[in-house]
Amino acid sequence: MPATSDADVFASPWSHLPDVLRTHGYAALQPGPRVMVLGGVHGNETCGSRAIERVVAQLDAGELTLLRGQLTLVPVANPLARRRMAREGERNLNRLFVPTPQGKEPADYEARLTDLLCPLLDRHEVLLDLHSFQSVGEAFAMIGPRDNTGTLEPFARAGEEGLLALHLRTPRVVEGWLDVYAAGLAQRQRAGVAVDESAVDFGRGTNEYMRSRGGYGVTLECGQHEDPAAPEVGYRAILSTLRLLRMIAPDPNEAPLPQPQLLRLVSVADRLHADDQFVRDWATFDAVAQGEPIGQRADGTLVRAEADGFIVFPNDEALPGTEWFYFARESERRLA
Ligand SMILES: [Zn+2]
């Protein structure tokens, strides 16, 4: 494993984390849903790990009791990335999340993790994947496609998935990741860039894998990486998931469900050059009007909003050739 010279690493409680996937499994004596919760798919996103450790401690202490079904929690899905307190180890674990074909050697560190996590996910039907994000902004949930029998991501559990997202009580829910990713590839192809047949598989992450196995999954972006409230958001989300599925006791004081704003991702823009700059510090879900400048390319060209909509995942530290920001519009879909 390559050593890192990052001095911050010595301040991290995870700086000596071994290359071992630690999982916590709980099985109630009554049958029920099989839920998996992932934290630390991206190494610098610690809120999910902290949320999971809190739930594990409460389950172990008897402060929380699993009434039915099975619950598996993985606090740190990418130990190398966490040790480095970086998004990736050798690459992004939340891409190309498909098992290595039989007879082939895993290509890298993340492929080895994927090969461990996929059989584990196969034993579950619901995935809650806890993340945080770079820019300032409020928590949001990400869901997959609507029910469809297409080839990209056929799905039949959009109702259950939407209901889970609703119960995570974020002010916003975002739909349509893989669609936009695939459209982005097609856009590059039309621009004359050679795109491999299997390139769309690179856009498949943990939730896409869970859906491909007959389950459903929601990504919860708990807040900004350093937001001290983010671990609490993740913790409440785990409990809300378990309550919705009647796997823990109901909360008699539960507040009524909010009606979140639902947005549909419609496009992605890559950063092409290290000198591509945003025209201002965007936060996720900042509203923009059609034609409004969002960024400026290295050659001076302005990148403008294609319609009235919202900026999602602006990343002013994106490496050239990777996603600079996503663009979303209001969706007419209803979750309940
Ligand atoms: Zn993440």
Side-chain angles (χ1 to χ4, degrees):
M1 216 44 62
T4 170
S5 58
D6 188 349
D8 284 351
V9 117
F10 299 108
S12 155
W14 292 285
S15 57
H16 298 291
L17 199 66
D19 288 312
V20 171
L21 201 61
R22 178 161 56 96
T23 68
H24 300 264
Y26 299 85
L29 300 190
Q30 298 300 322
R34 300 179 310 278
V35 175
M36 187 150 145
V37 184
L38 288 174
V41 164
H42 294 133
N44 58 334
E45 302 174 9
T46 58
C47 57
S49 309
R50 294 186 195 279
I52 287 171
E53 299 288 11
R54 187 170 163 194
V55 170
V56 166
Q58 286 194 303
L59 285 164
D60 290 348
E63 293 165 20
L64 260 182
T65 304
L66 194 68
L67 300 175
R68 64 173 196 147
Q70 297 182 24
L71 173 64
T72 301
L73 304 119
V74 182
V76 181
N78 190 335
L80 170 60
R82 174 55 53 81
R83 213 158 53 229
R84 298 175 55 200
M85 284 305 277
R87 181 175 175 81
E88 312 183 353
E90 294 179 1
R91 65 167 172 88
N92 187 346
L93 176 60
N94 207 18
R95 298 283 184 278
L96 199 64
F97 198 88
V98 285
T100 305
Q102 212 132 47
K104 287 201 169 175
E105 274 293 301
D108 48 35
Y109 183 89
E110 276 73 12
R112 290 177 199 282
L113 289 175
T114 304
D115 288 347
L116 289 173
L117 288 165
C118 287
L120 201 54
L121 281 162
D122 289 348
R123 299 186 357 232
H124 299 77
E125 58 180 322
V126 183
L127 172 63
L128 176 64
D129 192 1
L130 300 173
H131 288 250
S132 58
F133 47 84
Q134 173 74 30
S135 57
V136 174
E138 293 177 303
F140 64 98
M142 289 185 79
I143 55 178
R146 305 178 193 190
D147 285 346
N148 73 91
T149 53
T151 52
L152 182 66
E153 195 178 19
F155 195 41
R157 301 186 77 170
E160 290 165 277
E161 190 174 276
L163 198 61
L164 173 55
L166 186 64
H167 279 255
L168 301 184
R169 297 166 181 272
T170 52
R172 289 185 193 83
V173 175
V174 177
E175 65 169 338
W177 149 256
L178 194 60
D179 276 355
V180 166
Y181 184 83
L185 288 178
Q187 189 180 307
R188 280 177 217 170
Q189 215 158 17
R190 281 195 302 276
V193 180
V195 175
D196 195 76
E197 276 285 295
S198 63
V200 73
D201 281 341
F202 193 72
R204 296 186 197 276
T206 55
N207 285 317
E208 287 73 22
Y209 181 76
M210 190 80 258
R211 289 182 203 114
S212 78
R213 305 300 290 173
Y216 62 95
V218 175
T219 291
L220 177 62
E221 298 282 349
C222 300
Q224 204 276 335
H225 297 323
E226 313 294 330
D227 186 341
E232 177 76 18
V233 171
Y235 169 75
R236 286 174 186 272
I238 299 172
L239 297 195
S240 295
T241 301
L242 298 177
R243 274 193 207 108
L244 169 67
L245 298 170
R246 293 184 288 115
M247 293 169 68
I248 60 172
D251 176 2
N253 302 316
E254 198 164 70
L257 287 171
Q259 197 51 253
Q261 182 182 39
L262 191 56
L263 301 181
R264 182 184 181 87
L265 292 176
V266 291
S267 65
V268 55
D270 287 345
R271 197 176 191 197
L272 302 176
H273 191 282
D275 291 335
D276 288 358
Q277 300 292 341
F278 287 126
V279 297
R280 68 174 180 87
D281 281 337
W282 296 109
T284 279
F285 303 123
D286 274 347
V288 284
Q290 182 170 11
E292 191 176 332
I294 295 170
Q296 188 166 30
R297 295 289 184 193
D299 67 1
T301 316
L302 285 173
V303 178
R304 295 174 185 277
E306 64 194 66
D308 291 349
F310 304 86
I311 308 269
V312 184
F313 284 136
N315 184 358
D316 56 12
E317 295 174 13
L319 297 172
T322 68
E323 301 102 312
W324 196 17
F325 67 91
Y326 285 80
F327 190 74
R329 303 188 69 179
E330 292 227 43
S331 168
E332 80 295 353
R333 180 168 161 184
R334 291 291 162 262
L335 297 177

